[in-house]
Each structure stands twice: as structure tokens, then as C-alpha cells.
């Protein structure tokens, strides 16, 4: 692996690497990575076997962990992953639309032009729409409906899940990491989990997680043209209206209601039962039960007060 | 039907139900529903034969109408609909890409991979793009162009209509109704009507109506990635730039111009010839000919005055 | 041509027209057009052979150029184009999913359901996803990945280019021109150029240019659900987060970073290394290296100062 990635090996040279992980979640046999300036505290799994690190992070490597030093640890980790694993959907070819290695329930309904990859599982009475695409290894439960032209990769769907036309589930999320020749797309290894009774609107996108999974809770309903980024966790019975944009690693509590075109910045936590007014742009955590609006978002009464005050003071009396 | 939905029947037990409708538009033989708190005035068709109602609305049922009492009237109505009708696109399966029961004009051009359902009609010189999907019963006129990968369901298209790649016409709109076990998607029974010379941009979505139709008027042009919700009525020669979001039941007059990323809240009426500046978020009706901007939207001069006043007063003199 | 378009010919009747162009870029044998009120200075190629003009622009036609007078010059130009050329994708039909006239490298991987048009070229180790569509004449380099259900028309892709699922490359942009019976879609003749290592997110749209090309520079990364309009030129290593909307003819310098839901008005120039905060709506040029936010966008410190000042002054003291 040192040869393959150009990194310099330190520690036990006989360690066997059998899997990939993040630094914090690795088990015995896994290799992770540490990058950044080395100043922030680092969470490292006590079981992990090896790490790619840059010079600034060598100090954080526990004594029992082998490490490979490189200026681009995440890139090296990704290169190692590519050498160890070949994603199934990149070697899936040929003219067999419904793979002989897929498991399709005899009471499932498959419309013309649908494509189902090897290892996929389609449950009882589930409907796969015309020209929809079910990637290799995807599992779909019972009574689901996958809309025409929709695609599902790297995902696990419960029962009664609906994807409308053109929905994109399980694509790689947006992230850039430094590579030896410039920006590279950060690789993603997680899945998308859509729990029972979830509905995803037309042309909406739910990205797969980086190492962990992106999760959409039971009975959560998402409108058309929404974007749910990697590692997001949406609770149960959340409503997201059209053009909702939920950035990476956001957590939204049960029963929250997001109006049209609401945006939430990455890593923000939204409490249970929160309401966000249409067009709100949220950059900070909200406690359960609050109603906020505006950009940057604030409690809705405050936002309305500011809007009214500005209107009163900025305009001649007659329009005030 | 009472057995099937668990509702309690009152009135004429021999009434024959042959169709479904909203409470206000039902004809003889139709069954509708009444929900809500029963305090607002209710419009009930004088011809309708039966209604699902909750306890709060029993008082509004006319004497000659049979009724079934349930705590979830809309859900019961939907369950009855599922028992009476099976949507064609949910039973459309097999490997026949172009249905023998479709009517395709001999001068139409069908690209490879296109799928055309039973009962669909494709007019003279219309082009169906590669891997596009025309659902069962869809009617498309002459000289239309359906882009690659686009899908059309539950719709009626005039002549010279263009859909660019990935456009989604006729999907179910966003709506949630209470069911016995939690939120359920509200069923949709209406169509999408696209009049002559309408153009719909790439990956834009036009949802079908709930009971009535969603209508886009002659020569209206819609850019990429727009969302037109259920029951919207757009007039003639309306322009909607990218990311335009028009919520349910909005009405827009002829010749209105909507800049990029304009959002309009549900049930709002926009007069003829109105202009909305890019990024406007409109929450109230506008008279014909007005030009508005901002969020919440207001007359454009007022919006510009407020922006300038804030800039002048909030900043040190040199930037004022 | 005069007969075909109903325009009145002036000048050399024997001139041979062999191509179409804009007025400013035409070469010998080309015909262009001039419309508008004739008051602004007009750039006319010295080599162009003929022009469609309206009455207000006849004065600008150089002496050696033949001209055809019509009230709708752009429409007449488009009608002439339709008579001279038939776009390949409008005559592409039949059941041959991978055209015998396409050139597919033997080490390319083609997933089930993919459609590849005549004249297309697919490079070594490039992966074409399930049900993806590669239009006639499209050229794609080595080690590219075209996602499931994505479509590519009128485009030239370098090496290591990735399109995620449902991306739409090369569709006609949004533009309306007057025709004899009302608004018509302005025709587009340009291409999309995606340079090496470009990534385009799921369901994002990159429109082809009108006469020139739309260009996305090396290692530029675009998130899901973005809209890049006709004639845009993005530099190298530009980042565009989800719902980014870049209007026609915008130029963005190398290394610029656009947060989520940033919108840029048409013809704006954004310098190298500029940062735009999430939700910014930009209506004017920005110098290199600046960081702006808000709608209308302004320097970020000024925007934050205005937000804080309004909050302080509009609210009771306790919340100030």
C-alpha cells in the first residue's frame, strides 16, 4: 500500500489491511486517515490498524497503530480504496436489463425499460417504473413505487416507500479533497436509508453518506427538486417543501416542517417540531418547537418585526 | 364501501357510487369528502350522492346525501378510490417498450429506448427523445418534441409543445393527509394540460392537479429546474426563469414575467403583465401590471428604497 | 431564402449562403441577423455575406453585404436555419440503442439501457451508466463516468469528466424571440465544453451556447440541482454548491467559490478567487478575491453590519 500511494510507512510492517474506514470508526484490519492542521482534537478508534497521516498529524497517531505519511492523506486513502475495491456499478455492463443475479419478487411489477442490477432485491408488490434504474445490491421492500426514470444506488429502502419520477437516490455527495494535481472529488462509502412510508419528490436528490449513512425517517415526505446532502439524518414525519436544501451532516428532529426553498447550513441541528418559513436560510441550531424565518433565519416574530420596522422607517409616511 | 373503509353509513343505503370527486364538484353517483373543523362554510355540489365526513362536518351534509362517518374522511375517500380504480401506470409491465395499444402517427419519430404506454396517442411529426417515457393514456399533439429521459403521465399536450431533457410532467403533487397510522400522501386525480407552443425546461416538474387540472397556457415558456405545483393555472405567454417555484392553486395572468428563483406562495393570484424581480418571494395577490421584488415581495421601488435606506443608515458615512 | 422567410432581398442577389452565424462572427458565405431598435452600436463581421434586418437596422448594413428586410429578423434567421439544417437528434429514431455509426472504445463500459447516437465517440475506460443517453456527434474522452439516466447532447467532454445521475448537458437555453404569431424559443447553435476533471452533480443542467459555446474549466466541481445557462464561462477549479444558478453569459474566474443557492444575474463578471456566501443574489461585477453575501449581494462585512444594525434597531432592547 505504501508503494501504491507513495506514502512512507511507519510502525508494524506486517499489519494486514482488510478494510477502509474513517479514523474514528475503524475496526481491526481497517485503515483510516488524518488530515488538517493537527491542532484540533482527533477522535481515533482504539481498534483501527493503520492510518494515512500528514506531517502535522503524526503526533496524534496512537503507539499501536501503523501509519503512512503523505501530504495528501485523504487522497491516498481513496487511492487505496480504489485498489482494494471496484464499485459494482462501475463494472456493470452488457445488455441484460434485469440481471439474472437480481432477486425480484414474483408479485413485483416491472415496467418496460427498467434496469435492475446484480444483487438487487425487489419486494412483494413493489412497482418499478418505466426506464427506472435499480443499482447493484440495492434492497427495496414491499409495496414501494419507484417512479419512471428514477435511479437508486447504494441504498436500502423499507416498505411503502415512494420515489417520484427522476428522483436520484444514492449518488456521491459534493466534497472536494486536495490531490497531488489539484482538487479531487471526495469518495463516498456510505449508503442511503429510506425508512417505511418515505416519499421523495420528482427530480429530488438524496446523496449517500461519506462513511456513515444518510437516513430519512419513517413517513418523512420530501417534495420535488429538493437536495438532501451526505450524512444528513432526517427524523420521522418531517415535511420538506420544494427546493428544500439540507447541507451535509444536518440533523432534523421528528415532525419538523420546512417551507419552500428553505436552506440549512452544514452540521446544523434542528429540534423536533420546528417550523421554518418559506425562503428561510438557517445557519445555526434551533431548539425544539421554534418557528423561524428570514435569511439569516431568526425567530419569526423578530423577523416580521424587522421587516415591518424597516418598511415603516425607510419609506415616506403614506406607505409606512 | 362502509365495510371497506370502516366508516359508518347514514342515509340511503341503496345509493350507487360510480365515481369520485371533491365535495364541491361531484355529480350524481359520485362520492366526495368533508374534513377540517367544520367551522368554515362548505361548498357542496347539489348533485353529489354521498360524502365521507368526520363528526365535526356531519351538520353540513345536505338531507338528500348519504354519508359515512369516519375520523379520517380524506383517507377513507382515497381508500375507496384505490378499491374502485387501479391507476394504469401501476399495472403497466412487461418488455413491450412501445405498447401495441398506443396510437403513434406514422410520421412521428421515436428515438431508441423510448417507452410508450397503452392508450397513449402521439401526433404527426412529434419527436419522442431517447429513453423518454410517455405514460398510459397520455395524448400528445402534432410537432411536439419530448426531450431525452423526460416523462409524461396523466397529461394532455397540444401542438408544438416542447419538453426538454428530464422534464417531469404529471407526477403527484405534494400534499399530506392524516391517515389512521400517520401522514399519508394525498392522492391526485387531475391532469396536466399544456397548451400549444408551451416549452418546459430541463428537469422542471409540472404536477398533476388534485381533482381539477394543472394548466399551462399557450406560448408560456418555463426554464430549467422549475416547480409548478398542483392546480396551478398559468396564463398565456408567461415567462418563468430558472428555479421558479409556483405553489399549489396559484393563478398567474397572461404575459407575466418571473425572474430567476421567484417563489409564489399557495393560492396567490398574480395579475396580467406583472413582473417579479429575480429572487422575489411573493406571499400576496398582485394587481395587473405591477413590478415587485424582495422577500416578502413588495413594489420594486419600495424594495429598492428600503435596501438603499438600510445601506445608508447602517454603514459608516464613507460607504453610505 | 427570401421566398422561404417572406423577407425582402436587397443587394447582390447571386450571393451564395452556406452557413449561419451571429452578425459579429460570420465568415464568407454566412448569414446573420440584426434586430432591436437600431440605436446601439452594432458589431458586424467584415466577412459576413448577408444579414436579416428589420427597418431600424437597415442603416447599419455595410455596403458589400446583401440583406433581407423583415419585421422579425431573428425568427427569419432561425427559419432559414431549419430549412438548411436538420439537427441530428431530431431525426434519430429506431430501435438500435448503440448506433453502429458510434465509435465506442473497446475498453469502455456500457451499462444496460444506455443509448448512444450516430457519430458519438466514447473514450477508453469511460463508463456510460444505465439508461444514460449520449446524443449524436457527442465526443467523450477517457476515464469519464456518465451517471445513470444522464443525457449529453451537443457537447465535447475531456478526460476524467464525471456526470452524476440525471445531469442534463447540452439542452437548449432559455430565450424568447418575437415571431410572427408571438413568442418563439430562440434557437441555439453552440455546444457545451466540459474540460478535464470536471464534475457535474445529479440533476444539474448545463445549457448549450447560442452561437458560441458554454465552457466549464478544468477541475471545476458543480453540485446537484445547479443551472448553468447558455454562454456561461466558468474558470478552473470553481466550486458551485447546490441550487447554484448562473445566468446567461456570466463569466466566473478561476478558483471562485459559490455557496448554496447563489444566483448570478446575466452578463455579470466574477473575478478569480471570489467567495459568495450561501443565498447570495449577485447583480453586478466583483473584483478578484472579494467575499460577498446577501441579496442584492454586497461585501460580506457590509452585509453583516446591515443585518446586525437592523436587528439592533428594530427590536426591543432585550433582544438587541
Amino acid at each position: 500500500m505504501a508503494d501504491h500511494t507513495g506514502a512512507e510507512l511507519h510502525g508494524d510492517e506486517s499489519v494486514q489491511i482488510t478494510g477502509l474506514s474513517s479514523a474514528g470508526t475503524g475496526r481491526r484490519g481497517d485503515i483510516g486517515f488524518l488530515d488538517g492542521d493537527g491542532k484540533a482534537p482527533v477522535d481515533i478508534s482504539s481498534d483501527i490498524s493503520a492510518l494515512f497521516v500528514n506531517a502535522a498529524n503524526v503526533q496524534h497517531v496512537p503507539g499501536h497503530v501503523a501509519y503512512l505519511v503523505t501530504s495528501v492523506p485523504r487522497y491516498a486513502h481513496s487511492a487505496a480504496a480504489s485498489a482494494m475495491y471496484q464499485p459494482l456499478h462501475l463494472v456493470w455492463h452488457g445488455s441484460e436489463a434485469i440481471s439474472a443475479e437480481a432477486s425480484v419478487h414474483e408479485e413485483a411489477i416491472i415496467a418496460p425499460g427498467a434496469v435492475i442490477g446484480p444483487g438487487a432485491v425487489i419486494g412483494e408488490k413493489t412497482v418499478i417504473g418505466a426506464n427506472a434504474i435499480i443499482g447493484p445490491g440495492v434492497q427495496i421492500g414491499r409495496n414501494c413505487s419507484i417512479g419512471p426514470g428514477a435511479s437508486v444506488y447504494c441504498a436500502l429502502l423499507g416498505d411503502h416507500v415512494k420515489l417520484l419520477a427522476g428522483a436520484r437516490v444514492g449518488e456521491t455527495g459534493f466534497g472536494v479533497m486536495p490531490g497531488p494535481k489539484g482538487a479531487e472529488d471526495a469518495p463516498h462509502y456510505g449508503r442511503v436509508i429510506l425508512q417505511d412510508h418515505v416519499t421523495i419528490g420528482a427530480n429530488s436528490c438524496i446523496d449517500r453518506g461519506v462513511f456513515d449513512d444518510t437516513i430519512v425517517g419513517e413517513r418523512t415526505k420530501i417534495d420535488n427538486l429538493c437536495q438532501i446532502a451526505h450524512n444528513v439524518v432526517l427524523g420521522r414525519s418531517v415535511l420538506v417543501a420544494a427546493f428544500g436544501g439540507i447541507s451535509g451532516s444536518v440533523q432534523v428532529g421528528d415532525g419538523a416542517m420546512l417551507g419552500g426553498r428553505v436552506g440549512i447550513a452544514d452540521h446544523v441541528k434542528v429540534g423536533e417540531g420546528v417550523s421554518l418559513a418559506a425562503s428561510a436560510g438557517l445557519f445555526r441550531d434551533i431548539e425544539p418547537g421554534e418557528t423561524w424565518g428570514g435569511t439569516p433565519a431568526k425567530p419569526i416574530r423578530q423577523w416580521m418585526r424587522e421587516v415591518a420596522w424597516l418598511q415603516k422607517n425607510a419609506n415616506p409616511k403614506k406607505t409606512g
Side-chain angles (χ1 to χ4, degrees), chain A:
Chain A
M1 198 171 279
D3 293 347
H4 183 77
T5 62
E8 185 188 346
L9 176 62
H10 297 257
D12 181 0
E13 297 196 10
S14 67
V15 63
Q16 293 289 317
I17 300 303
T18 55
L20 293 121
S21 69
S22 64
T25 62
R27 289 174 293 187
R28 190 178 167 81
D30 285 350
I31 186 165
F33 67 90
L34 294 178
D35 58 7
D37 63 10
K39 291 177 183 162
V42 180
D43 183 24
I44 300 175
S45 161
S46 58
D47 292 335
I48 203 164
S49 292
L51 288 165
F52 288 104
V53 293
N54 56 8
N57 279 287
V58 167
Q59 55 178 318
H60 297 303
V61 180
H64 65 284
V65 174
Y67 59 101
L68 296 103
V69 180
T70 165
S71 62
V72 286
R74 191 172 188 180
Y75 179 80
H77 187 260
S78 160
S82 299
M84 290 171 70
Y85 302 111
Q86 182 72 294
L88 281 172
H89 59 274
L90 298 185
V91 292
W92 177 30
H93 61 104
S95 58
E96 186 190 56
I98 299 175
S99 171
E101 296 166 57
S103 168
V104 179
H105 192 282
E106 63 183 5
E107 287 191 52
I109 292 177
I110 313 296
V115 173
I116 301 176
V121 178
I122 312 291
E124 186 182 348
K125 292 188 180 165
T126 282
V127 176
I128 308 294
N131 284 348
I133 304 131
I134 310 300
V138 166
Q139 295 185 40
I140 301 181
R142 287 173 293 127
N143 294 297
C144 294
S145 169
I146 309 299
S151 59
V152 188
Y153 280 72
C154 311
L156 184 56
L157 277 59
D159 299 332
H160 303 279
V161 171
K162 277 186 219 148
L163 308 186
L164 301 190
R168 306 296 164 195
V169 170
E171 293 295 298
T172 294
F174 190 62
V176 167
M177 63 179 184
K181 294 180 182 169
E184 298 278 350
D185 297 316
H188 284 58
Y189 306 98
R191 298 171 299 174
V192 172
I193 312 289
L194 303 180
Q195 297 182 354
D196 294 351
H197 294 280
V198 162
T199 301
I200 307 292
N203 284 348
S204 285
C205 303
I206 320 288
D207 291 339
R208 64 191 293 204
V210 179
F211 289 104
D212 298 321
D213 297 326
T214 302
I215 301 174
V216 180
E218 208 174 309
R219 288 193 193 270
T220 283
K221 306 291 187 183
I222 296 176
D223 198 355
N224 296 347
L225 292 165
C226 291
Q227 157 67 4
I228 312 295
H230 47 213
N231 295 31
V232 165
V233 178
L234 299 181
R236 287 175 291 184
S237 300
V238 174
L239 302 184
V240 183
F243 296 113
I246 305 191
S247 303
S249 304
V250 164
Q251 296 182 30
V252 178
D254 295 351
M257 297 177 62
L258 281 56
R261 216 181 299 273
V262 163
I264 305 182
D266 53 355
H267 291 90
V268 164
K269 288 185 177 58
V270 175
E272 293 187 16
V274 160
S275 284
L276 290 169
S279 297
L282 179 66
F283 296 89
R284 44 190 283 198
D285 294 356
I286 307 190
E287 295 297 309
E290 299 269 311
T291 298
W292 286 32
T295 302
K298 50 190 72 173
I300 191 132
R301 289 194 177 193
Q302 181 186 337
W303 177 51
M304 292 172 71
R305 200 184 297 128
E306 293 178 12
V307 166
W309 185 89
L310 178 59
Q311 179 171 325
K312 181 177 172 188
N313 285 279
N315 293 288
K317 286 288 180 283
K318 58 176 180 175
T319 65

